[in-house]
Structures are given as C-alpha cells and as structure tokens.
Amino acid sequence: MLSKKTKYGLKALTYMARNKCNHPVLISEIAKSENISQKFLESILLTLRKNGLLGSKKGKGGGYYLIKEPKDIAMASVIRVLEGPIAMLPCVSLNFYEKCDDCPDENACAVHELMIEVRDNTLKVLENKTLADFVI
C-alpha cells in the first residue's frame, strides 16, 4: 500500500509540474491547494530536495521548484525516494535485496516467483510513467 508520504509527494510534484513551477513555490501554497499538512509537506519536500528531484531557495521569493523537466522524472525514482523498495519482498528487490530468513531455497519458492512477476510488471509501469504523464 502506498504511504501518505508518497501520495502527498506525488501530489506536490504534480502541482508543481501542472503549474510549470520552474520558479520557487511556497510550501503553504502547495499545502493549501492539495489539502496536505504543511508540516508534513515540509518533510516530504526536503526529502525530495536531498535526493535531487527538487531545488529550493531561501528568503523572499523562496520555496521549492522542479530542477528537472517533468518528462525526466520517472515515477519509479519518486517511489524509491519516498517509499523505499518497489518490490513487495526483499528477496526480489533489485536495489534493496535481502535473503528471506524463512526461505531455504529461493529457486524453489512459489512466492518468490510470483513476486518477481509482480515486481517486473510494477516496474514496467513506474519506469514508463513520468511526472509529465500526470499533467493535464
């Protein structure tokens, strides 16, 4: 299930892309428009900035802004930054792999095979969708 953090992050990024925000936008403006707690949104936008998806400017005329074109921001990268691994199990994660403690043989595990298929199909969608696809 997608966390509120990720949902709100996607809404904030979509707001900036929809409004062609290459200039700084106040957190309060986004929070009000998207019905998000300003305090929570501050934390989300800071995470996105630290991971190279947003820029920020302090002081008068300050705020957050997109540093990439919406067409260059893949949904997979946003999800990974805000949510973590896309895979439902650590044993099928491409970037955060961990062996499952309760599984002696991944190759014989029916759940493992199913989750690889789920991961691959999910990645196909998320890697082929960009922020630009959500701008109407």
Side-chain angles (χ1 to χ4, degrees), residues 20-39:
K20 298 181 179 28
C21 296
N22 296 343
H23 60 282
V25 181
L26 294 173
I27 295 172
S28 59
E29 178 184 332
I30 300 168
K32 183 177 180 183
S33 173
E34 299 300 320
N35 196 29
I36 303 170
S37 156
Q38 187 171 328
K39 190 83 170 158

Side-chain angles (χ1 to χ4, degrees), residues 2 6 8 16 22 28 30 42 52 54 93 106-107 115 134:
L2 206 61
T6 302
Y8 293 165
M16 287 187 238
N22 296 343
S28 59
I30 300 168
E42 283 179 41
L54 293 177
S93 179
E106 289 176 0
N107 296 323
M115 290 299 108
F134 299 96

Side-chain angles (χ1 to χ4, degrees), residues 4-73:
K4 283 190 177 187
K5 177 180 181 179
T6 302
K7 180 181 176 183
Y8 293 165
L10 290 170
K11 288 176 75 170
L13 289 170
T14 302
Y15 176 87
M16 287 187 238
R18 191 180 322 114
N19 292 291
K20 298 181 179 28
C21 296
N22 296 343
H23 60 282
V25 181
L26 294 173
I27 295 172
S28 59
E29 178 184 332
I30 300 168
K32 183 177 180 183
S33 173
E34 299 300 320
N35 196 29
I36 303 170
S37 156
Q38 187 171 328
K39 190 83 170 158
F40 192 29
L41 185 57
E42 283 179 41
S43 168
I44 295 166
L45 297 180
L46 181 61
T47 299
L48 292 169
R49 184 185 63 79
K50 286 180 178 177
N51 285 277
L53 294 170
L54 293 177
S56 65
K57 181 181 174 191
K58 293 183 179 184
K60 186 174 179 162
Y64 285 90
Y65 57 91
L66 297 173
I67 58 173
K68 296 179 180 180
E69 289 295 319
K71 67 179 178 55
D72 297 324
I73 301 174

Side-chain angles (χ1 to χ4, degrees), residues 50-100:
K50 286 180 178 177
N51 285 277
L53 294 170
L54 293 177
S56 65
K57 181 181 174 191
K58 293 183 179 184
K60 186 174 179 162
Y64 285 90
Y65 57 91
L66 297 173
I67 58 173
K68 296 179 180 180
E69 289 295 319
K71 67 179 178 55
D72 297 324
I73 301 174
M75 289 298 98
S77 63
V78 176
I79 301 285
R80 282 189 179 112
V81 164
L82 295 173
E83 196 73 30
I86 290 171
M88 295 177 77
L89 291 175
C91 66
V92 298
S93 179
L94 297 174
N95 296 317
F96 303 93
Y97 174 84
E98 287 182 30
K99 186 173 179 352
C100 293

